[in-house]
Amino acid sequence: QVQLVESGGGTVQAGGSLRLSCAASVSSYISGRMGWFRQAPGKEREGVASIVSDGSTAYRGSVKGRFTISKDNAKNTLYLQMNSLKPEDTAMYYCAAISQHYTYYGALDPRTYNYWGQGTEVTVSS
């Protein structure tokens, strides 16, 4: 079992930047597949970005070129650098990790992930 704790959310004007962090309580999970997801009020949770052990990444089309996922294995921390933020990026952002025995539905499919943080809220004003 792993605990994931997100931080770094806040309110920013359109065009601004934020960096989200996700601290994992168990180091082995950071080295595996991890992802960032978001959920806006009244909408389904959607995948934003994912990263695997070799550093390969995947991004949702609407955030490509603006968001960057990365991780620091030594600090057991996952990051999401968000630049050029838009009002439509407003949502609760969650980080997620897989268990040892997981079923792969897709890099940005929430069903792939077994462990979730409590979320950090991002609001982008126009």
Side-chain angles (χ1 to χ4, degrees):
Q1 193 83 13
V2 60
Q3 289 187 329
L4 304 171
V5 180
E6 302 97 333
S7 61
T11 299
V12 64
Q13 288 190 331
S17 298
L18 283 173
R19 189 176 81 154
L20 306 183
S21 299
C22 172
S25 61
V26 179
S27 61
S28 59
Y29 288 87
I30 282 289
S31 61
R33 176 181 295 277
M34 295 196 71
W36 284 100
F37 293 77
R38 66 187 182 188
Q39 187 167 17
K43 295 189 176 181
E44 292 187 354
R45 189 168 298 190
E46 61 184 25
V48 175
S50 73
I51 189 167
V52 294
S53 57
D54 67 359
S56 298
T57 58
Y59 293 94
R60 181 175 199 82
S62 61
V63 308
K64 278 184 181 178
R66 300 190 297 123
F67 290 11
T68 303
I69 188 171
S70 63
K71 57 183 178 176
D72 186 331
N73 291 344
K75 294 183 178 180
N76 297 342
T77 303
L78 179 73
Y79 301 101
L80 184 67
Q81 178 67 44
M82 305 187 295
N83 299 328
S84 303
L85 283 161
K86 303 176 181 181
E88 51 264 42
D89 295 318
T90 295
M92 186 72 79
Y93 282 71
Y94 301 89
C95 71
I98 59 170
S99 65
Q100 184 177 6
H101 304 290
Y102 72 103
T103 301
Y104 182 74
Y105 293 93
L108 300 180
D109 191 318
R111 296 175 297 171
T112 296
Y113 298 82
N114 309 101
Y115 303 111
W116 296 84
Q118 83 290 346
T120 186
E121 192 164 7
V122 172
T123 303
V124 184
S125 60
S126 57

